[in-house]
């Protein structure tokens, strides 16, 4: 077996030399980013580290080919290699997730969601206007017909999780296009337990009668019962759309099985490929046969031309996700989140829902007298990279917030285990305990500024460096 890491080192090093000959500021920034990634205790729940093979697959000639359309039906000539790439990526996605159909073109998670929404509208909206017009093509429509058509599509209803309960902007948030193209109603979580209340969700759905029920989240620290979600969708005749952008790696790695695996229950599933799935930055859509034709029209109806170099990298990452090594990784992500939550709780932190059973925890920073913004900044100054996040019924609003979200996928990729995450919990509680809010100039409690006990940031940063030194990022990569 040749030393592939040494080979990759030469490949990256040579590539940077070539880039530097044109614009050295860019090759410098690429090198600096690697140094930053290596030196940061990355606990951002939506980030990860792709493999060297996946990263190397992104920079090549596939980027130069236009391939609008779909496999075997392109609007451009000469797409045989793109067809191969897209077919292999879709085959891996179908087999990894056990899906009837996979569409690997979306450029990002949000793009994947837009493809999903558009496909569901096309497959499901019964248009009296089109029926009245019978066999007429769109070219024959009068302006008044178009007005009727737009109104029919815009009358559709979507129901997703609210932002402060952990949902995503694209699940019907009023300032997002999803909240403008649909009438929307959001469901929250139980105020006591912080968990999804499926009975209340069913009652709300009966009243609101959505066309689309959206399940999935960015900041909910628990598993979802997709069998219950399916029952609710069926009870009101809704399409079940699952956005598994955050937890796709736990589905791929068979940590979420049975009723926690969305694929057998959902009509359409969308995801990113760069979060817990550990692939290149991008998205994909899985669907049942009923929706496959509509999803397949994603490009050019919703998306620009496919990024074939990125589809190639998706194929490589999806092939990696089909290995038993990836299953061990996914299990470690969940075990580490458990260790982190236990460590935080033992040291007196309050967690939304009281813990976790996925890859993330949400700390309520108000018990430390801090806003999410102050907590995030104090942790960052101490070398601990997290992000602030709203918590249910957040007293500080969506900008300052009252929580920090902490995820295990990235550091688990570096090899940290349960004991190491207990150490991380100790560092986090130490910083939050040693941080004090600074009163604002108005005399009101400040929401942005804080002070830290003398020397605490330096001491914590030294501990973070020691931990990171024990788990090098890309060991053997000489760059
Ligand atoms: C991250 C995320 C997205 C968006 O992904 P992008 O690639 O940033 O567009 C969509 N939905 C959910 C639930 C997410 O967590």
């Amino acid at each position: 077996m040749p030393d592939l890491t040494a080979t990759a080192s030469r490949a990256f090093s040579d590539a940077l030399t070539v880039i530097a000959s044109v614009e050295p500021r860019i090759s410098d920034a690429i090198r600096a980013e690697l140094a930053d990634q290596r030196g940061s205790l990355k606990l951002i729940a939506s980030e990860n580290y792709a493999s060297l093979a996946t990263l190397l697959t992104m920079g090549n000639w596939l980027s130069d080919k236009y391939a609008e359309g779909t496999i075997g039906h392109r609007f451009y000539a000469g797409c045989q290699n793109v067809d191969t790439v897209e077919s292999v990526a879709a085959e891996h996605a179908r087999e990894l997730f056990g899906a009837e159909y996979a569409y690997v073109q979306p450029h990002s998670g949000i793009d994947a969601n837009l493809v999903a929404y558009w496909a569901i509208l096309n497959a499901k909206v019964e248009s009296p206007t089109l029926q009245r017009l019978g066999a007429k093509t769109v070219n024959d429509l009068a302006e008044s017909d178009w007005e009727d058509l737009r109104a029919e599509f815009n009358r559709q209803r979507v129901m997703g999780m609210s932002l402060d309960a952990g949902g995503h902007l694209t699940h019907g948030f009023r300032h997002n296009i999803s909240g403008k193209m649909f009438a929307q109603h959001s469901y929250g979580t139980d105020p006591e337990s912080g968990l999804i209340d499926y009975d209340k969700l069913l009652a709300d759905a009966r009243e609101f009668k959505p066309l689309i029920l959206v399940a999935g989240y960015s900041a909910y620290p628990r598993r979802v019962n997709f069998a219950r979600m399916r029952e609710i969708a069926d009870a009101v005749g809704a399409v079940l759309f699952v956005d598994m952008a955050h937890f796709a790696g736990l589905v791929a790695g068979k940590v979420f099985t049975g009723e926690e695996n969305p694929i057998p229950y959902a009509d359409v599933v969308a995801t990113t490929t760069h979060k817990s799935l550990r692939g290149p930055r991008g998205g994909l859509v899985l669907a049942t046969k009923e929706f496959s034709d509509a999803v397949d029209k994603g490009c050019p109806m919703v998306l620009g031309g496919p990024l074939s170099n990125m589809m190639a990298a998706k194929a490589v990452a999806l092939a990696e996700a089909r290995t038993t090594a990836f299953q061990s990784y996914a299990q470690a992500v969940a075990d580490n989140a458990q260790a982190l939550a236990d460590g935080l709780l033992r040291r007196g932190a309050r967690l939304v829902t009281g813990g976790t059973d996925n890859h993330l925890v949400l700390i309520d920073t108000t018990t430390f007298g801090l806003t999410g913004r102050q907590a995030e900044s104090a942790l960052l100054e101490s070398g601990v990279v997290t992000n602030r996040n709203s918590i249910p019924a957040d007293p500080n609003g969506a900008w300052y917030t009252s929580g920090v979200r902490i995820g295990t996928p990235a550091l688990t990729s570096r090899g940290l285990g349960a004991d190491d995450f207990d150490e991380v919990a100790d560092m986090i509680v130490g910083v939050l305990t040693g941080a004090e809010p600074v009163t604002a100039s108005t005399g009101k409690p400040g929401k942005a500024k804080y002070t830290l006990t003398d020397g605490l940031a330096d001491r914590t940063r030294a501990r973070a460096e020691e931990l990171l030194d024990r788990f090098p990022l890309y060991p053997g990569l000489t760059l």
Side-chain angles (χ1 to χ4, degrees):
M1 185 82 181
D3 181 353
L4 288 176
T5 310
T7 308
S9 298
R10 283 193 298 278
F12 280 109
S13 176
D14 289 349
L16 287 167
T17 304
V18 175
I19 295 165
S21 74
V22 180
E23 177 47 286
R25 286 176 295 179
I26 296 301
S27 53
D28 288 350
I30 295 170
R31 280 184 191 277
E33 182 60 27
L34 176 61
D36 287 358
Q37 299 265 353
R38 280 177 161 157
S40 86
L41 198 70
K42 184 154 92 169
L43 292 158
I44 294 178
S46 51
E47 293 191 4
N48 212 330
Y49 304 104
S51 73
L52 297 177
T54 297
L55 293 170
L56 279 167
T57 309
M58 295 184 209
N60 59 65
W61 306 267
L62 287 163
S63 168
D64 292 334
K65 186 77 196 94
Y66 240 120
E68 279 183 343
T70 189
I71 303 164
H73 303 275
R74 306 283 183 185
F75 292 83
Y76 286 79
C79 295
Q80 56 281 0
N81 302 311
V82 176
D83 281 350
T84 301
V85 164
E86 186 169 351
S87 304
V88 173
E91 175 194 298
H92 279 312
R94 278 194 313 271
E95 293 188 4
L96 172 64
F97 291 111
E100 288 178 10
Y101 168 79
Y103 185 65
V104 296
Q105 289 194 23
H107 309 164
S108 74
I110 286 186
D111 288 11
N113 288 356
L114 287 175
V115 169
Y117 285 139
W118 188 237
I120 294 167
L121 285 176
N122 275 292
K124 284 291 182 186
V125 172
E126 285 174 26
S127 163
T129 308
L130 285 181
Q131 278 161 11
R132 174 168 56 76
L133 295 170
K136 274 193 188 174
T137 72
V138 286
N139 296 329
D140 300 323
L141 297 190
E143 188 51 39
S144 59
D145 298 327
W146 279 109
E147 290 297 331
D148 292 346
L149 262 181
R150 286 193 194 100
E152 283 158 15
F153 274 73
N154 270 324
R155 260 203 301 278
Q156 301 307 319
R157 289 184 288 268
V158 72
M159 193 165 157
M161 199 178 209
S162 67
L163 212 51
D164 72 346
H168 190 260
L169 294 170
T170 53
H171 300 178
F173 181 60
R174 64 189 184 286
H175 296 305
N176 183 266
I177 186 171
S178 60
K180 297 192 199 292
M181 69 193 271
F182 295 111
Q184 69 87 27
H185 178 82
S186 56
Y187 56 90
T189 45
D190 178 71
E192 292 297 314
S193 66
L195 302 174
I196 294 173
D197 179 345
Y198 294 97
D199 293 331
K200 177 158 192 317
L201 179 43
L202 173 61
D204 285 1
R206 282 211 154 100
E207 203 155 300
F208 187 64
K209 297 189 180 57
L211 171 73
I212 305 173
L213 175 64
V214 187
Y217 54 78
S218 303
Y220 179 68
R222 295 290 174 174
R223 303 182 186 191
V224 173
N225 184 321
F226 295 106
R228 289 298 306 274
M229 288 290 185
R230 178 78 256 170
E231 278 169 25
I232 295 166
D234 284 344
V236 300
V239 173
L240 179 59
F241 167 49
V242 176
D243 179 357
M244 63 171 186
H246 251 264
F247 56 89
L250 298 178
V251 178
K254 312 228 177 325
V255 176
F256 291 0
T257 56
E259 299 187 341
E260 295 162 355
N261 172 9
I263 315 298
Y265 298 102
D267 298 289
V268 183
V269 178
T271 184
T272 58
T273 46
H274 50 273
K275 297 183 182 176
S276 57
L277 197 52
R278 207 162 68 179
R281 191 158 290 280
L284 65 85
V285 179
L286 307 169
T288 58
K289 288 221 166 63
E290 183 187 356
F291 293 90
S292 61
D293 285 348
V295 170
D296 217 31
K297 296 194 175 70
C299 169
M301 291 305 147
V302 177
L303 302 171
L307 313 177
S308 303
N309 55 323
M310 302 305 283
M311 292 197 293
K314 286 174 200 174
V316 171
L318 289 164
E320 290 170 342
R322 293 182 65 186
T323 60
T324 51
F326 189 87
Q327 294 183 7
S328 308
Y329 162 71
Q331 188 57 54
V333 166
D335 293 346
N336 284 342
Q338 200 63 61
L340 176 67
D342 290 348
L344 290 167
L345 290 168
R346 229 178 329 109
R347 292 172 178 86
R350 195 190 86 79
L351 304 181
V352 173
T353 77
T356 179
D357 52 26
N358 57 18
H359 63 295
L360 68 89
V361 302
L362 201 57
I363 302 178
D364 176 352
T365 56
T366 61
T367 48
F368 296 96
L370 301 169
T371 63
R373 167 91 181 253
Q374 288 160 334
E376 174 195 79
S377 304
L379 287 167
L380 186 63
E381 186 187 338
S382 310
V384 181
V385 187
T386 64
N387 67 283
R388 67 184 187 277
N389 211 104
S390 299
I391 63 174
D394 200 304
N396 290 314
W399 176 250
Y400 291 107
T401 80
S402 304
V404 282
R405 188 184 66 166
I406 304 181
T408 55
L411 291 183
T412 303
S413 288
R414 286 181 78 136
L416 277 75
D419 290 348
D420 309 304
F421 273 95
D422 190 63
E423 161 103 16
V424 170
D426 193 58
M427 291 159 58
I428 290 171
V429 174
V431 171
L432 298 183
T433 308
E436 291 287 337
V438 172
T439 308
S441 51
T442 57
K444 291 208 190 104
K447 290 188 169 183
K449 299 218 175 83
Y450 64 93
T451 56
L452 268 180
T453 311
D454 271 354
L456 180 59
D458 288 343
R459 282 198 302 281
T460 310
R461 218 172 316 109
R463 285 174 75 183
E465 276 164 23
E466 189 276 327
L467 193 55
L468 292 173
D469 282 348
R470 286 199 282 126
F471 298 98
L473 178 61
Y474 304 122
L477 186 75
T478 53
L479 221 60

